[in-house]
């Protein structure tokens, strides 16, 4: 099959660096003589034909912006079999031969279903959570880590001035990577993640008491969103240790901001790889970075891979932040 037209969309939660990926898809395809359509607001744009013709200049001046120039959405209608069929028909009406889907694993399930309806799809992992098993890094994760680190550094200034404890929630519902690396980077006394069960007395209170005995007067506890309950944790710390404690939820600031160099480069390389697969008539793949190389996997295999949390790094973090 000749690939004449491809489409690109962003779906699910936005992540800094998605624009770099869009730009790379568009420029790679155009260089290969392939027409590119930008689909707006995720799969919703495929359901209602909300597409724009992309040229070289459509993606100018976006590489340094967070968010996504194509907007993003969650589309309940698309996740039904009838919705997928409707989207596939729209692709046929618009002569779309293949679609690059930039998003998380929910979006990849959609891409798998759309491929099964005859529209070749390639997934590009864009999510700040780093919760995609098949890739070492997802687009947006590095920026979010740097943002979280900078925000906790700011909290630390005031925490230190008042001899307080800061309990900080960072994003990551099922994945503690962001919490783990932020915790290492800010020297958190304790890091709580969904992957590792914890004992409040042993892993929080006792650690704080130990560091206090050795002269520490202010504390940062980093908690992944999937563990949650930072207000309760903060109150309990204050009750049990007498150390004044404050809870902060960093929230959506972690999703925004200018992408780091790493995310711009990763988005660019992954976008290029996705467009090249479609040019070669290859779909049902997810692009990934493994050991610093851009590779791709079958979508179903990718979705079935189990994420492995870096337990060793978790223990190192606690050994050195004491
Ligand atoms: P993410 O891609 O970031 O994981 P979501 O899980 O919200 O975000 O998924 C984004 C969109 O992908 C959903 O709104 C829906 O349209 C589509 N989607 C999610 N899960 C499925 C599924 N099991 N089958 C088909 N489409 C899905």
């Amino acid at each position: 099959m000749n690939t004449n037209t491809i489409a690109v969309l962003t779906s699910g939660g936005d992540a800094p660096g998605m624009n770099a990926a869009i730009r790379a898809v568009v420029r790679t395809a155009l260089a290969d003589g392939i027409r590119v359509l930008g689909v707006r607001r995720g799969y919703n744009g495929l359901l209602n034909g909300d597409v724009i013709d992309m040229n070289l200049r459509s993606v100018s001046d976006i590489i340094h912006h967070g968010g996504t120039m194509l907007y993003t959405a969650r589309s309940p209608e698309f996740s039904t079999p009838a919705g997928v069929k409707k989207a596939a028909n729209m692709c046929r009406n618009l002569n779309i031969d293949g679609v690059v889907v930039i998003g998380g694993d929910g979006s990849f399930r959609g891409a798998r279903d759309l491929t099964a309806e005859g529209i070749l799809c390639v997934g590009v992992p864009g999510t700040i959570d780093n919760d995609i098993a098949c890739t070492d890094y997802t687009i947006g994760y590095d920026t979010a880590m740097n943002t979280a680190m900078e925000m906790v550094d700011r909290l630390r200034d005031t925490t230190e001035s008042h001899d307080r404890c800061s309990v900080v929630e960072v994003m990551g519902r099922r994945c503690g990577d962001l919490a783990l690396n932020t915790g290492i980077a800010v020297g958190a006394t304790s890091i709580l993640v969904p992957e590792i069960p914890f004992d409040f007395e042993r892993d929080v209170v006792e650690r704080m008491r130990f560091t206090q005995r050795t002269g520490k007067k202010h504390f940062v506890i980093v908690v992944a969103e999937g563990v949650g309950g930072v207000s309760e944790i903060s109150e309990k710390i204050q009750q049990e240790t007498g150390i004044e404690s404050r809870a902060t939820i960093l929230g959506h600031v972690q999703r925004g901001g200018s992408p780091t160099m790493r995310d711009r480069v990763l988005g660019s390389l992954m976008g290029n790889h996705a467009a090249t697969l479609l040019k070669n008539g290859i779909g049902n793949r997810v692009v990934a970075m493994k050991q610093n190389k851009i590779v791709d996997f079958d979508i179903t295999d990718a979705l079935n891979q189990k994420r492995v949390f870096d337990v060793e790094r978790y223990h190192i973090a606690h050994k050195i932040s004491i």
Side-chain angles (χ1 to χ4, degrees):
M1 186 195 79
N2 271 343
T3 306
N4 296 312
T5 302
I6 66 166
V8 55
L9 61 83
T10 48
S11 166
D14 65 321
M18 281 184 162
N19 280 326
I22 296 167
R23 174 177 173 274
V25 169
V26 170
R27 296 251 169 98
T28 300
L30 292 176
D32 291 330
I34 293 167
R35 181 173 162 247
V36 194
L37 298 175
V39 180
R40 292 199 283 207
R41 296 184 175 82
Y43 290 118
N44 280 336
L46 278 188
L47 292 171
N48 53 35
D50 185 5
V51 300
I52 43 175
D53 242 307
M54 306 292 271
N55 61 44
L56 286 177
R57 297 282 74 80
S58 313
V59 288
S60 291
D61 302 319
I62 61 166
I63 197 163
H64 58 301
H65 287 306
T68 157
M69 68 158 299
L70 291 174
Y71 305 95
T72 185
R74 298 203 158 85
S75 170
E77 185 186 352
F78 178 79
S79 53
T80 65
V84 176
K85 278 198 166 55
K86 186 173 162 187
N89 284 332
M90 182 61 79
C91 287
R92 280 184 273 273
N93 289 341
L94 295 168
N95 298 313
I96 294 170
D97 303 307
V99 184
V100 176
V101 174
I102 306 166
D105 54 5
S107 303
F108 296 164
R109 287 192 181 88
R112 174 200 58 198
D113 295 353
L114 198 54
T115 306
E117 287 295 328
I119 308 298
L120 295 183
C121 291
V122 174
V124 171
T127 161
I128 66 157
D129 286 351
N130 209 38
D131 60 350
I132 309 283
C134 70
T135 187
D136 294 341
Y137 290 100
T138 58
I139 299 166
Y141 171 53
D142 187 64
T143 306
M145 278 194 295
N146 280 285
T147 303
M149 179 186 74
E150 196 190 316
M151 294 292 142
V152 180
D153 282 348
R154 285 166 193 245
L155 282 172
R156 193 196 186 110
D157 289 345
T158 167
T159 302
E160 192 176 344
S161 303
H162 289 269
D163 293 334
R164 276 183 188 147
C165 172
S166 243
V167 183
V168 191
E169 182 192 292
V170 302
M171 279 191 163
R173 257 171 295 169
R174 295 164 302 164
C175 178
D177 285 14
L178 191 53
L180 173 59
N181 287 315
T182 304
I184 292 173
V186 302
T189 301
S190 185
I191 304 166
L192 307 180
V193 295
E195 293 92 339
I196 310 263
F198 69 94
D199 178 272
F200 182 74
E201 286 303 319
R202 183 194 64 200
D203 299 322
V204 181
V205 174
E206 274 312 312
R207 288 183 63 80
M208 285 180 67
R209 289 207 173 111
F210 178 83
T211 55
Q212 205 178 24
R213 281 201 297 278
T214 55
K216 197 165 179 147
K217 293 194 169 54
H218 61 94
F219 310 84
V220 174
I221 312 293
V222 171
V223 181
E225 184 186 2
V227 173
V230 281
S231 297
E232 293 75 18
I233 292 172
S234 169
E235 276 166 30
K236 249 173 111 178
I237 286 173
Q238 189 158 325
Q239 275 166 18
E240 297 207 17
T241 64
I243 297 160
E244 209 183 337
S245 188
R246 294 279 190 277
T248 306
I249 297 174
L250 293 186
H252 277 83
V253 290
Q254 296 161 95
R255 287 257 280 265
S258 180
T260 58
M261 189 262 269
R262 252 174 181 270
D263 278 332
R264 295 181 199 193
V265 172
L266 185 66
S268 299
L269 297 179
M270 286 182 162
N272 166 264
H273 192 87
T276 305
L277 286 172
L278 288 180
K279 178 189 83 171
N280 293 326
I282 301 166
N284 209 38
R285 307 295 289 176
V286 172
V287 179
M289 177 174 263
K290 278 281 179 201
Q291 286 155 359
N292 226 22
K293 294 247 177 316
I294 302 293
V295 294
D296 52 87
F297 295 96
D298 175 86
I299 295 187
T300 307
D301 292 346
L303 288 169
N304 285 336
Q305 285 188 35
K306 288 264 170 294
R307 275 196 61 257
V308 183
F309 183 73
D310 193 341
V311 180
E312 193 190 341
R313 190 180 292 201
Y314 183 81
H315 291 310
I316 292 170
H318 286 91
K319 192 180 281 179
I320 58 182
S321 297
I322 194 85

